[in-house]
Amino acid sequence: SLSRAGETVRLLDLGSRNGCWVSGLRVPEAVLRVGSSLVLGGVSVSVQVAPSYNAATFGLLERAALLVRLAEASERSHALRQPLSVLMVRSLRPGKVSMAELVSRSASALPAAQGLALYEPGVLCVVLAGTSATVAEMLAARLTEPLDGSGALVCGAASLDEQHNTPELLLL
């Protein structure tokens, strides 16, 4: 049996003859993450978690897919010796800016974004491959400029450098 809990999938073998195999090991149960592979009988399956309604409505990645995309971008960044930056965007006054407006403003202000993701409710994460810390800070400033009649946004920027060599550190 498979059951979803947030961005993970719980696998429970209910006594099958061939068993369930994860990472080459037969397991009675396991917690799987996006990208995990398992074998059920003679079928190999890769776990992909469907986006939540909010993320799907706006064409956004979910947090788990964001982490995969960020890891891939980080590897390319290191291999090509290019910068990688991430912006976290949210409304300064929750409820004042709709998710639709947040996504629209972010997409129009940041055309070079390689991924827009729903990091958590009301917080948008933007991956900017090939973007230096200086440019990311300028983009964040442009994004947070108040527009007529709309709520104020706050934006944090982080960039991958020699001291921060894992994508997870960008999100802290």
Side-chain angles (χ1 to χ4, degrees):
S1 112
L2 296 171
S3 59
R4 180 177 175 173
E7 296 190 13
T8 61
V9 174
R10 184 169 178 260
L11 167 71
L12 179 61
D13 187 349
L14 300 175
S16 65
R17 186 175 19 188
N18 295 323
C20 298
W21 297 76
V22 177
S23 301
L25 300 171
R26 186 174 182 164
V27 295
E29 63 182 275
V31 175
L32 308 168
R33 303 199 186 294
V34 171
S36 296
S37 294
L38 63 140
V39 177
L40 305 170
V43 178
S44 179
V45 178
S46 175
V47 174
Q48 300 299 320
V49 178
S52 68
Y53 173 76
N54 284 337
T57 300
F58 300 106
L60 302 173
L61 299 171
E62 286 266 16
R63 188 175 182 162
L66 164 69
L67 294 176
V68 170
R69 174 83 50 94
L70 196 52
E72 292 168 353
S74 174
E75 287 178 22
R76 278 192 307 278
S77 174
H78 282 293
L80 299 173
R81 298 184 190 273
Q82 292 182 336
L84 174 64
S85 295
V86 171
L87 301 179
M88 297 294 233
V89 187
R90 69 173 178 80
S91 171
L92 195 53
R93 289 174 263 143
K96 185 77 173 163
V97 178
S98 70
M99 182 56 75
E101 183 180 350
L102 183 60
V103 170
S104 174
R105 283 178 62 178
S106 298
S108 63
L110 308 167
Q114 278 71 46
L116 293 175
L118 184 63
Y119 186 71
E120 59 186 44
V123 179
L124 190 65
C125 180
V126 184
V127 178
L128 299 165
T131 303
S132 69
T134 303
V135 172
E137 289 171 8
M138 289 188 318
L139 291 170
R142 180 184 336 151
L143 184 60
T144 56
E145 289 173 357
L147 299 176
D148 293 338
S150 67
L153 300 180
V154 63
C155 184
S159 297
L160 192 67
D161 59 26
E162 297 306 316
Q163 288 80 29
H164 300 94
N165 56 7
T166 64
E168 293 81 13
L169 289 176
L170 286 173
L171 302 177
L172 294 178

